[in-house]
Amino acid sequence: KIYITKQQAWQNNFTKSLVTTLGGTLEVGKSGLSIAGNYHLLNNYVYFDTVGRPQQENAPISILQLSATLNWHWGIFHNDNQLVFQQIEGSDAVRLPKVMSDHSVYVEGRLFKKVLTTRVGFDVRFQSEFKVDYYHPLIGQFIQQNREKVPVAVAIDFFFAAKVKTFRFFAKFDGLQTYFMQQRYYQTYLYPNFDQLFRTGIDWRFSK
C-alpha cells in the first residue's frame, strides 16, 4: 500500500512471489574463456504498470541467460570481455535487452621502480534495443512504459587509475561516443546518461 498526501492511493494483498534458478559455468582451461548458462522461472511476479500501479503477473515467466567471458593479456596489454544473451518467455512484465556486452581494453603496469601500479584504457558497453522502464519519482519505483523502445546503444569511457600501497586515485571521462555519434545511452526512459562527464576520486586507507 502507499499513501500520497495522506490519501491512500492503493492497497494490495498479493500472493508471495517465487523465483527458481538453475545454472552452471564452464571454464575452458587457462584460456581465460568461461561460458555460463542460467534459467530463471518467476511465479507471481509483481511489477508496476504504465500508470505506476503494482500488478501481479499470474502466468509463469521464464528467462534464459547465456553468457561468455573472455579475459586475456599479453605483457602489459589487457582485454576483458563479457557477452550476454537473454530470452524472456511467458509475459511482457519483465523487460531486458536481448543482447548486451561489456569490453575493457587497457594497459597495466608498474612505474617508478615498480612502486606505482597504473591502469589506463577504455570501457565500452553495448545493448540492443528494448523498452526501458521509466522512473516515477513520486512513488520511487521503476514503472513500465509502452511509448517507444530505446535504440541500439554504445557507450565509451576513458579511465586512468593508480595505486601506491593503500592509496588509490582514479580519473574517468564518460561519454566519449557523443563526440562522433549522435546518440545518447539510455538505461532509464527519458533519463539519458550524461553526454560527457569527468569524474575523479581518491581512496586512502590508513592502516599499519
Side-chain angles (χ1 to χ4, degrees):
K1 60 183 177 181
I2 188 172
Y3 289 85
I4 300 175
T5 62
K6 298 183 179 181
Q7 299 295 319
Q8 188 179 76
W10 66 71
Q11 180 174 353
N12 299 284
N13 185 19
F14 292 132
T15 304
K16 185 177 181 180
S17 300
L18 176 64
V19 180
T20 305
T21 300
L22 177 65
T25 302
L26 173 65
E27 296 185 358
V28 184
K30 298 181 179 181
S31 64
L33 173 66
S34 64
I35 301 173
N38 290 281
Y39 177 79
H40 310 277
L41 183 63
L42 283 61
N43 289 282
N44 303 319
Y45 178 74
V46 177
Y47 65 98
F48 288 81
D49 62 17
T50 56
V51 296
R53 295 185 64 88
Q55 304 290 343
Q56 186 162 53
E57 178 59 64
N58 295 321
I61 304 172
S62 62
I63 304 175
L64 175 65
Q65 294 177 321
L66 303 174
S67 64
T69 301
L70 176 62
N71 301 329
W72 64 272
H73 70 93
W74 182 59
I76 63 173
F77 298 98
H78 295 253
N79 181 216
D80 300 339
N81 306 275
Q82 184 179 40
L83 175 65
V84 179
F85 170 82
Q86 303 176 125
Q87 183 67 39
I88 304 173
E89 299 289 345
S91 173
D92 191 40
V94 178
R95 298 172 176 181
L96 299 170
K98 182 167 289 188
V99 179
M100 59 183 185
S101 65
D102 291 290
H103 310 274
S104 292
V105 180
Y106 58 93
V107 175
E108 183 177 84
R110 294 190 175 186
L111 303 175
F112 304 110
K113 296 182 180 181
K114 297 184 178 181
V115 175
L116 178 66
T117 302
T118 59
R119 177 181 290 188
V120 183
F122 295 89
D123 286 333
V124 180
R125 301 184 302 280
F126 167 87
Q127 69 183 24
S128 59
E129 69 171 16
F130 74 111
K131 291 181 180 178
V132 297
D133 288 339
Y134 170 76
Y135 180 73
H136 198 305
L138 180 61
I139 61 175
Q141 295 287 346
F142 288 92
I143 71 173
Q144 291 186 342
Q145 62 83 25
N146 292 321
R147 296 179 182 178
E148 60 181 312
K149 294 181 179 180
V150 295
V152 173
V154 177
I156 304 174
D157 307 325
F158 170 80
F159 66 87
F160 170 81
K163 175 185 176 183
V164 180
K165 294 184 178 179
T166 60
F167 178 82
R168 300 170 184 263
F169 168 81
F170 82 90
K172 192 172 184 180
F173 191 90
D174 299 338
L176 288 178
Q177 79 282 354
T178 58
Y179 283 104
F180 53 87
M181 300 171 62
Q182 298 298 319
Q183 180 188 70
R184 289 182 169 183
Y185 189 79
Y186 288 86
Q187 290 183 312
T188 303
Y189 185 64
L190 298 181
Y191 287 83
N193 286 24
F194 293 99
D195 287 347
Q196 298 96 28
L197 177 66
F198 178 75
R199 296 183 290 162
T200 184
I202 61 173
D203 181 353
W204 196 348
R205 300 183 180 181
F206 296 93
S207 60
K208 295 181 180 180

